[in-house]
Amino acid sequence: MGNLWVGSWIAALAVGVFVWGLIIWVMVRYRKKGDDHLPAQRQYNLPLELLYTLVPFLIIGVLFFFTVQTQNGVQAKVTDQPVHTINVVGQKWSWSFSYMEDANPAVGAVVHEAGTIDKIPDLYLPVDKPVRFNLRSADVIHSFYIPAFYYKLDVIPGRLNSFDVTPDKIGTYSGKCAELCGTYHAAMLFTVHVVSEEDYVAYLNTLKASGQTGEITAPVYPNVVPSVPAAEGEEQK
């Protein structure tokens, strides 16, 4: 993603410098020389018109090729059986993370972390290990976005979206909802911690010890009714 972004800017800069050069050259070469004589006027120039019609199509075609290539690479699954799977539920107005680690002997259970509008949840990821995110919505369309990963994916009611990622740098990063999803959209934040495998397992065991076991799932039929109570005297529907 980063390479595509930088490459697009380099291509845009090259085209911009070329066009600016042509503009400056025409301004200097054909500037008024003190008389009112006009150069020969032509109705059209077929080779020139073909050139400035075909070149933009060529530029768009090249950008399209690299965009599709990058998209396919980003969306490709790392493995058929990822090392770690995290099921994510987006709900008004926070996130829930279920770590599917029941087959991991170091944890031996599915554990979860659930956020609320008043509590920003934490998402822990092991460094250099493939992780698959399975995204579901409990109500409306959200968007799972970790800016440092250069990637976001919509969380759509009644639909499963998934992607794989392998974090390669230990650190703390911000996450958010990138889809305007309603009144408290701005509260849909979460904190991403990329840690060592040992610290990852230790965190999950802390959740297990505190009784945060089992998977948090989205309803089969998502709730789309207003989440803000009706005003006094207003009928609830």
Side-chain angles (χ1 to χ4, degrees), residues 150-169:
Y150 292 0
Y151 186 69
K152 62 182 178 181
L153 188 60
D154 282 350
V155 187
I156 301 174
R159 176 173 176 176
L160 171 66
N161 282 343
S162 66
F163 71 99
D164 290 3
V165 66
T166 303
D168 59 4
K169 185 177 181 181

Side-chain angles (χ1 to χ4, degrees), residues 11-25 51-52 55 59:
L13 180 61
V15 171
V17 169
F18 176 70
V19 172
W20 294 332
L22 286 178
I23 292 173
I24 294 172
W25 178 75
L51 179 66
Y52 66 61
V55 168
I59 295 172

Side-chain angles (χ1 to χ4, degrees), residues 43-171:
Q43 185 175 1
Y44 62 88
N45 185 313
L46 186 59
L48 183 62
E49 292 183 12
L50 287 174
L51 179 66
Y52 66 61
T53 300
L54 295 177
V55 168
F57 277 103
L58 177 63
I59 295 172
I60 292 171
V62 171
L63 290 175
F64 179 78
F65 171 79
F66 285 109
T67 298
V68 171
Q69 191 177 57
T70 299
Q71 176 180 285
N72 291 340
V74 169
Q75 294 182 341
K77 296 296 186 286
V78 176
T79 61
D80 292 333
Q81 296 295 328
V83 176
H84 302 285
T85 298
I86 301 175
N87 291 346
V88 179
V89 175
Q91 73 272 345
K92 298 185 289 188
W93 310 96
S94 192
W95 302 90
S96 297
F97 307 116
S98 296
Y99 301 86
M100 314 304 289
E101 298 288 346
D102 48 326
N104 182 352
V107 181
V110 174
V111 297
H112 65 258
E113 165 77 5
T116 68
I117 193 172
D118 298 315
K119 176 181 177 293
I120 296 176
D122 292 302
L123 173 63
Y124 274 71
L125 304 176
V127 69
D128 295 328
K129 299 293 182 181
V131 176
R132 177 164 299 167
F133 290 107
N134 294 320
L135 311 176
R136 293 188 184 275
S137 172
D139 35 57
V140 298
I141 297 177
H142 303 284
S143 186
F144 184 78
Y145 184 33
I146 303 174
F149 290 1
Y150 292 0
Y151 186 69
K152 62 182 178 181
L153 188 60
D154 282 350
V155 187
I156 301 174
R159 176 173 176 176
L160 171 66
N161 282 343
S162 66
F163 71 99
D164 290 3
V165 66
T166 303
D168 59 4
K169 185 177 181 181
I170 290 178

